[in-house]
Amino acid sequence: MRQIHPPRELFDFARVLEEGGKKCYLVGGAVRDYLLGREVSDFDVATDARPEEVVRLYRRVIPTGIKHGTVTVLWKGLEIEATTFRTESSYADGRHPDAVAFAATIEEDLSRRDFTINAMAFDLSERRLLDPRGGREDLGLSLVRAVGDPLERFGEDGLRPLRAIRFAAQLGFEVEAATLAAIGPSIEVFRLVSAERVREEFLKIALSDRPSRGLRLLEATGLLSEISPELAACRGVEQRGMHVFDVLDHLYACVDAAPPDPVLRLAALFHDVGKPAAKVERPGEAPTFYRHEEYSAKDAETILRRLRFPNALIDEVAHLIRCHMFSYDDSWSDAAVRRFVARVGPDRIESLFALRIADGTGIIGRPVDPRSLQSLRERIDAVLAAKEAFGLGDLAVKGADLASIAVPPGPKMGMMLKELLEAVIDDPALNERSRLLEIAERLKPKYGL
Ligand code: ATP
Ligand code: MG
């Protein structure tokens, strides 16, 4: 086990509390991650000082969660979350979910924490580890074990079952048997948890080294059907052809193979989620999944909206999914390459290629050679280098130019500009003001102008 070695600034921070007669412990993820030799990025401290006292002791304090006893102190370049010792009773009293009960001792505070590996504290004045729940031992055994009775603890907060799986996925740990067994029976409490809290944990699973580990645990415990029945419905949907996996194992393999970026991981995970709906059986032959990218993009939007992901991220994910079914060969004309770039968007080509490599890996079950996209990439570089038009902003006419030939601003003008852009993508030589206005003049009758 590694040493706990917080930065000197954190000890300075603790000294201010000590001089005020208060205790200060480093707690939670930082202690765990130091012991594991993992990177530590945020510092949570527990103290017997009340939030008002912390506010008084430091100059720069943000009242982040003062209701829950938490404030953020900006201190010598660190952002330190300071939380007053708490007990579990805030959860137990269902009628006052926002009420906080402060605790007198660090031991009491540690006993309300979720897992033994998260229930250690490092005394910043005595430089001593407090580990009343055997967290170090469980770190050594690579186990996520609930503090106390798992069923009871999950009953207090339905997010904990998902957190157990999140930590197992992130750390490459197993969930201890009794803790794992308590997940299924806790599903009703899990249903009460807000979508935002579920999203944060789910995203951490998706961004872990091997998301499929976490996803398989979610599936086995019944949580996957709760979070995304659409995904769970991909189990057993066979595809044959070149595929070695059913749809769900394919998606697991793809998400593992995708770079650890939220958009790419989520796009990889959901890029075929619409296949069950798109599937058409053919006797004696492999089934077809026509337009499954469209079904999948719609499903991904529904799922990610339900989980309250930001709209901008949802749009990116859905766009990549809609575009993922291209099949390039050297017979593509330059116009076809330009249409492809225009549809995908010049800035999104690299993401789409990353998704495509992950997809290929999930089809054959082993890494795909990224050079397989090399010739398309070269063709794209060539059309991009020619600085041709791919978006309305690149067009040699703007709305005002069309208005000058009596096209009124509005939906018709928008459609006409799009039609002009398509013409330019097919033939870049048309991208001159006079030629485009000529074409627009000819298009007017079609738009009833
Ligand atoms: P990360 O590195 O992902 O931030 P973390 O362990 O710091 O991991 P947080 O969600 O930041 O996780 O929570 C900080 C600490 O607060 C945890 O280590 C745990 O002790 C406690 N904790 C957080 N959420 C819960 C919960 N739902 N129930 C009980 N204790 C919790
Ligand atoms: Mg944390």
Side-chain angles (χ1 to χ4, degrees), residues 27-30 32 42-44 163 166 204:
V27 288
R32 179 194 70 221
D42 25 82
F43 298 104
D44 293 315
R163 283 174 60 86
R166 185 263 276 196
K204 285 180 176 172

Side-chain angles (χ1 to χ4, degrees), residues 28-30 32-33 42 44 91 112-114 118-119 157 159-160 163 166-167 170 197 201 204:
R32 179 194 70 221
D33 292 341
D42 25 82
D44 293 315
Y91 295 103
R112 61 106 187 158
R113 292 176 182 268
D114 46 9
N118 290 345
D157 178 2
L159 187 69
R160 290 174 185 160
R163 283 174 60 86
R166 185 263 276 196
F167 287 115
Q170 273 187 331
R197 295 180 77 207
E201 301 296 329
K204 285 180 176 172

